[in-house]
mmCIF file of all heavy atoms in Angstrom:
data_model
loop_
_atom_site.group_PDB
_atom_site.id
_atom_site.type_symbol
_atom_site.label_atom_id
_atom_site.label_comp_id
_atom_site.label_asym_id
_atom_site.label_seq_id
_atom_site.Cartn_x
_atom_site.Cartn_y
_atom_site.Cartn_z
ATOM 1 N N ALA A 11 25.429 -17.825 3.803
ATOM 2 C CA ALA A 11 24.171 -18.053 3.089
ATOM 3 C C ALA A 11 22.983 -17.579 3.915
ATOM 4 O O ALA A 11 22.070 -16.930 3.403
ATOM 5 C CB ALA A 11 24.024 -19.533 2.738
ATOM 6 N N ILE A 12 22.994 -17.868 5.194
ATOM 7 C CA ILE A 12 21.899 -17.430 6.068
ATOM 8 C C ILE A 12 21.876 -15.913 6.174
ATOM 9 O O ILE A 12 20.830 -15.284 6.050
ATOM 10 C CB ILE A 12 22.033 -18.086 7.459
ATOM 11 C CG1 ILE A 12 21.742 -19.582 7.346
ATOM 12 C CG2 ILE A 12 21.098 -17.424 8.466
ATOM 13 C CD1 ILE A 12 22.090 -20.377 8.585
ATOM 14 N N THR A 13 23.034 -15.306 6.360
ATOM 15 C CA THR A 13 23.111 -13.848 6.441
ATOM 16 C C THR A 13 22.617 -13.202 5.153
ATOM 17 O O THR A 13 21.848 -12.239 5.180
ATOM 18 C CB THR A 13 24.556 -13.400 6.740
ATOM 19 O OG1 THR A 13 24.969 -13.994 7.964
ATOM 20 C CG2 THR A 13 24.663 -11.892 6.821
ATOM 21 N N GLY A 14 23.035 -13.732 4.026
ATOM 22 C CA GLY A 14 22.595 -13.201 2.735
ATOM 23 C C GLY A 14 21.098 -13.345 2.535
ATOM 24 O O GLY A 14 20.437 -12.437 2.036
ATOM 25 N N THR A 15 20.526 -14.462 2.934
ATOM 26 C CA THR A 15 19.088 -14.680 2.795
ATOM 27 C C THR A 15 18.304 -13.708 3.667
ATOM 28 O O THR A 15 17.318 -13.126 3.222
ATOM 29 C CB THR A 15 18.732 -16.137 3.165
ATOM 30 O OG1 THR A 15 19.450 -17.017 2.297
ATOM 31 C CG2 THR A 15 17.247 -16.396 3.046
ATOM 32 N N VAL A 16 18.740 -13.521 4.905
ATOM 33 C CA VAL A 16 18.065 -12.576 5.796
ATOM 34 C C VAL A 16 18.166 -11.162 5.235
ATOM 35 O O VAL A 16 17.182 -10.417 5.203
ATOM 36 C CB VAL A 16 18.647 -12.656 7.227
ATOM 37 C CG1 VAL A 16 18.157 -11.507 8.086
ATOM 38 C CG2 VAL A 16 18.310 -13.995 7.858
ATOM 39 N N TRP A 17 19.319 -10.770 4.760
ATOM 40 C CA TRP A 17 19.485 -9.440 4.175
ATOM 41 C C TRP A 17 18.575 -9.266 2.970
ATOM 42 O O TRP A 17 17.892 -8.258 2.828
ATOM 43 C CB TRP A 17 20.940 -9.215 3.753
ATOM 44 C CG TRP A 17 21.105 -7.923 3.021
ATOM 45 C CD1 TRP A 17 21.272 -6.687 3.565
ATOM 46 C CD2 TRP A 17 21.070 -7.726 1.602
ATOM 47 N NE1 TRP A 17 21.351 -5.747 2.578
ATOM 48 C CE2 TRP A 17 21.222 -6.356 1.354
ATOM 49 C CE3 TRP A 17 20.912 -8.584 0.518
ATOM 50 C CZ2 TRP A 17 21.215 -5.824 0.081
ATOM 51 C CZ3 TRP A 17 20.907 -8.047 -0.754
ATOM 52 C CH2 TRP A 17 21.068 -6.684 -0.956
ATOM 53 N N TRP A 18 18.515 -10.260 2.083
ATOM 54 C CA TRP A 18 17.683 -10.173 0.883
ATOM 55 C C TRP A 18 16.215 -10.067 1.265
ATOM 56 O O TRP A 18 15.485 -9.244 0.721
ATOM 57 C CB TRP A 18 17.906 -11.407 0.001
ATOM 58 C CG TRP A 18 16.983 -11.419 -1.166
ATOM 59 C CD1 TRP A 18 17.118 -10.750 -2.337
ATOM 60 C CD2 TRP A 18 15.738 -12.112 -1.270
ATOM 61 N NE1 TRP A 18 16.054 -10.980 -3.157
ATOM 62 C CE2 TRP A 18 15.192 -11.826 -2.522
ATOM 63 C CE3 TRP A 18 15.047 -12.959 -0.411
ATOM 64 C CZ2 TRP A 18 13.978 -12.347 -2.940
ATOM 65 C CZ3 TRP A 18 13.837 -13.477 -0.838
ATOM 66 C CH2 TRP A 18 13.313 -13.172 -2.076
ATOM 67 N N ALA A 19 15.762 -10.861 2.217
ATOM 68 C CA ALA A 19 14.351 -10.866 2.608
ATOM 69 C C ALA A 19 13.934 -9.533 3.216
ATOM 70 O O ALA A 19 12.843 -9.040 2.956
ATOM 71 C CB ALA A 19 14.078 -12.002 3.590
ATOM 72 N N THR A 20 14.792 -8.928 4.009
ATOM 73 C CA THR A 20 14.420 -7.670 4.643
ATOM 74 C C THR A 20 14.601 -6.483 3.718
ATOM 75 O O THR A 20 13.844 -5.527 3.779
ATOM 76 C CB THR A 20 15.224 -7.434 5.937
ATOM 77 O OG1 THR A 20 16.612 -7.467 5.627
ATOM 78 C CG2 THR A 20 14.888 -8.476 6.975
ATOM 79 N N SER A 21 15.552 -6.535 2.826
ATOM 80 C CA SER A 21 15.758 -5.382 1.939
ATOM 81 C C SER A 21 14.843 -5.441 0.736
ATOM 82 O O SER A 21 14.471 -4.415 0.195
ATOM 83 C CB SER A 21 17.212 -5.312 1.473
ATOM 84 O OG SER A 21 17.533 -6.425 0.666
ATOM 85 N N ALA A 22 14.428 -6.611 0.310
ATOM 86 C CA ALA A 22 13.568 -6.717 -0.868
ATOM 87 C C ALA A 22 12.226 -6.060 -0.619
ATOM 88 O O ALA A 22 11.667 -5.442 -1.505
ATOM 89 C CB ALA A 22 13.370 -8.186 -1.255
ATOM 90 N N SER A 23 11.694 -6.145 0.595
ATOM 91 C CA SER A 23 10.395 -5.546 0.853
ATOM 92 C C SER A 23 10.454 -4.031 0.716
ATOM 93 O O SER A 23 9.521 -3.419 0.217
ATOM 94 C CB SER A 23 9.890 -5.944 2.232
ATOM 95 O OG SER A 23 10.759 -5.466 3.229
ATOM 96 N N ASP A 24 11.540 -3.402 1.142
ATOM 97 C CA ASP A 24 11.672 -1.960 0.983
ATOM 98 C C ASP A 24 11.880 -1.582 -0.475
ATOM 99 O O ASP A 24 11.387 -0.561 -0.937
ATOM 100 C CB ASP A 24 12.844 -1.429 1.808
ATOM 101 C CG ASP A 24 12.569 -1.502 3.305
ATOM 102 O OD1 ASP A 24 11.380 -1.585 3.671
ATOM 103 O OD2 ASP A 24 13.531 -1.493 4.077
ATOM 104 N N ALA A 25 12.612 -2.400 -1.216
ATOM 105 C CA ALA A 25 12.887 -2.101 -2.618
ATOM 106 C C ALA A 25 11.619 -2.211 -3.462
ATOM 107 O O ALA A 25 11.493 -1.549 -4.477
ATOM 108 C CB ALA A 25 13.958 -3.043 -3.154
ATOM 109 N N ASP A 26 10.659 -3.039 -3.038
ATOM 110 C CA ASP A 26 9.439 -3.235 -3.804
ATOM 111 C C ASP A 26 8.425 -2.117 -3.602
ATOM 112 O O ASP A 26 7.472 -2.012 -4.355
ATOM 113 C CB ASP A 26 8.794 -4.571 -3.439
ATOM 114 C CG ASP A 26 9.635 -5.758 -3.908
ATOM 115 O OD1 ASP A 26 10.508 -5.563 -4.777
ATOM 116 O OD2 ASP A 26 9.423 -6.864 -3.394
ATOM 117 N N VAL A 27 8.582 -1.316 -2.558
ATOM 118 C CA VAL A 27 7.638 -0.233 -2.307
ATOM 119 C C VAL A 27 7.845 0.829 -3.373
ATOM 120 O O VAL A 27 8.967 1.283 -3.602
ATOM 121 C CB VAL A 27 7.843 0.357 -0.893
ATOM 122 C CG1 VAL A 27 6.966 1.574 -0.685
ATOM 123 C CG2 VAL A 27 7.553 -0.697 0.157
ATOM 124 N N PRO A 28 6.750 1.231 -4.067
ATOM 125 C CA PRO A 28 6.917 2.209 -5.135
ATOM 126 C C PRO A 28 7.438 3.539 -4.616
ATOM 127 O O PRO A 28 7.131 3.939 -3.506
ATOM 128 C CB PRO A 28 5.511 2.376 -5.704
ATOM 129 C CG PRO A 28 4.588 1.756 -4.743
ATOM 130 C CD PRO A 28 5.375 0.849 -3.853
ATOM 131 N N SER A 29 8.226 4.183 -5.451
ATOM 132 C CA SER A 29 8.694 5.514 -5.106
ATOM 133 C C SER A 29 8.525 6.379 -6.344
ATOM 134 O O SER A 29 8.509 5.900 -7.456
ATOM 135 C CB SER A 29 10.156 5.478 -4.669
ATOM 136 O OG SER A 29 10.958 5.009 -5.729
ATOM 137 N N GLY A 30 8.380 7.612 -6.125
ATOM 138 C CA GLY A 30 8.181 8.568 -7.209
ATOM 139 C C GLY A 30 7.560 9.813 -6.618
ATOM 140 O O GLY A 30 7.234 9.841 -5.428
ATOM 141 N N PRO A 31 7.359 10.832 -7.435
ATOM 142 C CA PRO A 31 6.763 12.065 -6.915
ATOM 143 C C PRO A 31 5.401 11.771 -6.270
ATOM 144 O O PRO A 31 4.548 11.128 -6.870
ATOM 145 C CB PRO A 31 6.598 12.948 -8.147
ATOM 146 C CG PRO A 31 7.553 12.385 -9.153
ATOM 147 C CD PRO A 31 7.665 10.918 -8.857
ATOM 148 N N ALA A 32 5.236 12.217 -5.044
ATOM 149 C CA ALA A 32 3.996 11.956 -4.309
ATOM 150 C C ALA A 32 2.843 12.779 -4.874
ATOM 151 O O ALA A 32 3.037 13.852 -5.443
ATOM 152 C CB ALA A 32 4.193 12.267 -2.836
ATOM 153 N N PHE A 33 1.647 12.239 -4.728
ATOM 154 C CA PHE A 33 0.437 12.938 -5.151
ATOM 155 C C PHE A 33 -0.634 12.749 -4.091
ATOM 156 O O PHE A 33 -0.482 11.960 -3.158
ATOM 157 C CB PHE A 33 -0.040 12.451 -6.527
ATOM 158 C CG PHE A 33 -0.500 11.018 -6.545
ATOM 159 C CD1 PHE A 33 -1.845 10.700 -6.365
ATOM 160 C CD2 PHE A 33 0.396 9.981 -6.765
ATOM 161 C CE1 PHE A 33 -2.270 9.382 -6.382
ATOM 162 C CE2 PHE A 33 -0.025 8.665 -6.793
ATOM 163 C CZ PHE A 33 -1.359 8.351 -6.594
ATOM 164 N N THR A 34 -1.737 13.468 -4.218
ATOM 165 C CA THR A 34 -2.873 13.329 -3.312
ATOM 166 C C THR A 34 -3.984 12.581 -4.042
ATOM 167 O O THR A 34 -4.413 13.004 -5.118
ATOM 168 C CB THR A 34 -3.387 14.700 -2.841
ATOM 169 O OG1 THR A 34 -2.330 15.344 -2.114
ATOM 170 C CG2 THR A 34 -4.600 14.563 -1.946
ATOM 171 N N ALA A 35 -4.406 11.465 -3.458
ATOM 172 C CA ALA A 35 -5.541 10.716 -3.999
ATOM 173 C C ALA A 35 -6.817 11.394 -3.516
ATOM 174 O O ALA A 35 -6.937 11.737 -2.340
ATOM 175 C CB ALA A 35 -5.506 9.268 -3.522
ATOM 176 N N ILE A 36 -7.746 11.620 -4.437
ATOM 177 C CA ILE A 36 -9.011 12.260 -4.082
ATOM 178 C C ILE A 36 -10.175 11.424 -4.607
ATOM 179 O O ILE A 36 -9.984 10.548 -5.448
ATOM 180 C CB ILE A 36 -9.103 13.697 -4.647
ATOM 181 C CG1 ILE A 36 -8.954 13.675 -6.174
ATOM 182 C CG2 ILE A 36 -8.058 14.599 -3.999
ATOM 183 C CD1 ILE A 36 -9.239 15.008 -6.841
ATOM 184 N N GLY A 37 -11.355 11.710 -4.119
ATOM 185 C CA GLY A 37 -12.530 11.006 -4.614
ATOM 186 C C GLY A 37 -13.718 11.177 -3.697
ATOM 187 O O GLY A 37 -13.716 12.015 -2.786
ATOM 188 N N LYS A 38 -14.741 10.334 -3.960
ATOM 189 C CA LYS A 38 -15.967 10.365 -3.167
ATOM 190 C C LYS A 38 -16.462 8.948 -2.953
ATOM 191 O O LYS A 38 -16.360 8.102 -3.835
ATOM 192 C CB LYS A 38 -17.052 11.175 -3.887
ATOM 193 C CG LYS A 38 -16.744 12.647 -3.978
ATOM 194 C CD LYS A 38 -17.880 13.408 -4.608
ATOM 195 C CE LYS A 38 -17.542 14.903 -4.614
ATOM 196 N NZ LYS A 38 -18.686 15.702 -4.996
ATOM 197 N N VAL A 39 -17.033 8.747 -1.776
ATOM 198 C CA VAL A 39 -17.690 7.495 -1.438
ATOM 199 C C VAL A 39 -19.161 7.823 -1.244
ATOM 200 O O VAL A 39 -19.507 8.736 -0.490
ATOM 201 C CB VAL A 39 -17.120 6.893 -0.137
ATOM 202 C CG1 VAL A 39 -17.874 5.636 0.247
ATOM 203 C CG2 VAL A 39 -15.636 6.629 -0.285
ATOM 204 N N THR A 40 -20.037 7.093 -1.948
ATOM 205 C CA THR A 40 -21.469 7.338 -1.841
ATOM 206 C C THR A 40 -22.184 6.050 -1.462
ATOM 207 O O THR A 40 -21.900 4.999 -2.020
ATOM 208 C CB THR A 40 -22.049 7.874 -3.166
ATOM 209 O OG1 THR A 40 -21.380 9.086 -3.505
ATOM 210 C CG2 THR A 40 -23.541 8.159 -3.048
ATOM 211 N N VAL A 41 -23.106 6.175 -0.520
ATOM 212 C CA VAL A 41 -23.972 5.064 -0.139
ATOM 213 C C VAL A 41 -25.391 5.440 -0.529
ATOM 214 O O VAL A 41 -25.869 6.538 -0.246
ATOM 215 C CB VAL A 41 -23.891 4.785 1.378
ATOM 216 C CG1 VAL A 41 -24.946 3.767 1.787
ATOM 217 C CG2 VAL A 41 -22.506 4.292 1.747
ATOM 218 N N PHE A 42 -26.055 4.520 -1.215
ATOM 219 C CA PHE A 42 -27.449 4.703 -1.623
ATOM 220 C C PHE A 42 -28.334 3.784 -0.790
ATOM 221 O O PHE A 42 -27.948 2.671 -0.468
ATOM 222 C CB PHE A 42 -27.628 4.334 -3.105
ATOM 223 C CG PHE A 42 -26.814 5.187 -4.036
ATOM 224 C CD1 PHE A 42 -25.634 4.694 -4.576
ATOM 225 C CD2 PHE A 42 -27.215 6.465 -4.369
ATOM 226 C CE1 PHE A 42 -24.876 5.464 -5.440
ATOM 227 C CE2 PHE A 42 -26.459 7.244 -5.222
ATOM 228 C CZ PHE A 42 -25.296 6.744 -5.768
ATOM 229 N N GLY A 43 -29.537 4.236 -0.477
ATOM 230 C CA GLY A 43 -30.514 3.376 0.184
ATOM 231 C C GLY A 43 -30.629 3.642 1.664
ATOM 232 O O GLY A 43 -30.277 4.709 2.171
ATOM 233 N N SER A 44 -31.129 2.634 2.349
ATOM 234 C CA SER A 44 -31.483 2.794 3.761
ATOM 235 C C SER A 44 -30.303 2.646 4.709
ATOM 236 O O SER A 44 -30.491 2.600 5.918
ATOM 237 C CB SER A 44 -32.575 1.781 4.118
ATOM 238 O OG SER A 44 -32.089 0.470 3.911
ATOM 239 N N TRP A 45 -29.067 2.546 4.202
ATOM 240 C CA TRP A 45 -27.901 2.383 5.070
ATOM 241 C C TRP A 45 -27.304 3.711 5.502
ATOM 242 O O TRP A 45 -26.172 3.768 5.960
ATOM 243 C CB TRP A 45 -26.825 1.560 4.371
ATOM 244 C CG TRP A 45 -27.261 0.165 4.149
ATOM 245 C CD1 TRP A 45 -27.412 -0.811 5.074
ATOM 246 C CD2 TRP A 45 -27.608 -0.411 2.904
ATOM 247 N NE1 TRP A 45 -27.832 -1.958 4.490
ATOM 248 C CE2 TRP A 45 -27.965 -1.745 3.146
ATOM 249 C CE3 TRP A 45 -27.667 0.060 1.592
ATOM 250 C CZ2 TRP A 45 -28.364 -2.610 2.136
ATOM 251 C CZ3 TRP A 45 -28.066 -0.788 0.594
ATOM 252 C CH2 TRP A 45 -28.412 -2.106 0.875
ATOM 253 N N VAL A 46 -28.053 4.803 5.342
ATOM 254 C CA VAL A 46 -27.546 6.106 5.765
ATOM 255 C C VAL A 46 -28.553 6.791 6.673
ATOM 256 O O VAL A 46 -29.744 6.529 6.618
ATOM 257 C CB VAL A 46 -27.221 7.025 4.555
ATOM 258 C CG1 VAL A 46 -26.082 6.447 3.754
ATOM 259 C CG2 VAL A 46 -28.431 7.261 3.678
ATOM 260 N N ASN A 47 -28.034 7.680 7.494
ATOM 261 C CA ASN A 47 -28.869 8.437 8.401
ATOM 262 C C ASN A 47 -28.477 9.896 8.267
ATOM 263 O O ASN A 47 -27.335 10.261 8.532
ATOM 264 C CB ASN A 47 -28.670 7.944 9.835
ATOM 265 C CG ASN A 47 -29.620 8.575 10.812
ATOM 266 O OD1 ASN A 47 -30.566 9.257 10.414
ATOM 267 N ND2 ASN A 47 -29.378 8.360 12.090
#
């Protein structure tokens, strides 16, 4: 039971990570006002 629980806990985190064809995220960050130099 302990071995099974440890295996489930460590493998579940990898299984939850999304997989699929990779893409590039793009965009812009803009700051307005006196917080820029």
Side-chain angles (χ1 to χ4, degrees):
I12 290 169
T13 302
T15 301
V16 169
W17 174 84
W18 175 81
T20 57
S21 65
S23 62
D24 291 340
D26 292 342
V27 174
S29 61
F33 66 94
T34 298
I36 58 171
K38 292 184 177 190
V39 176
T40 301
V41 172
F42 299 102
S44 61
W45 294 288
V46 295
N47 187 10

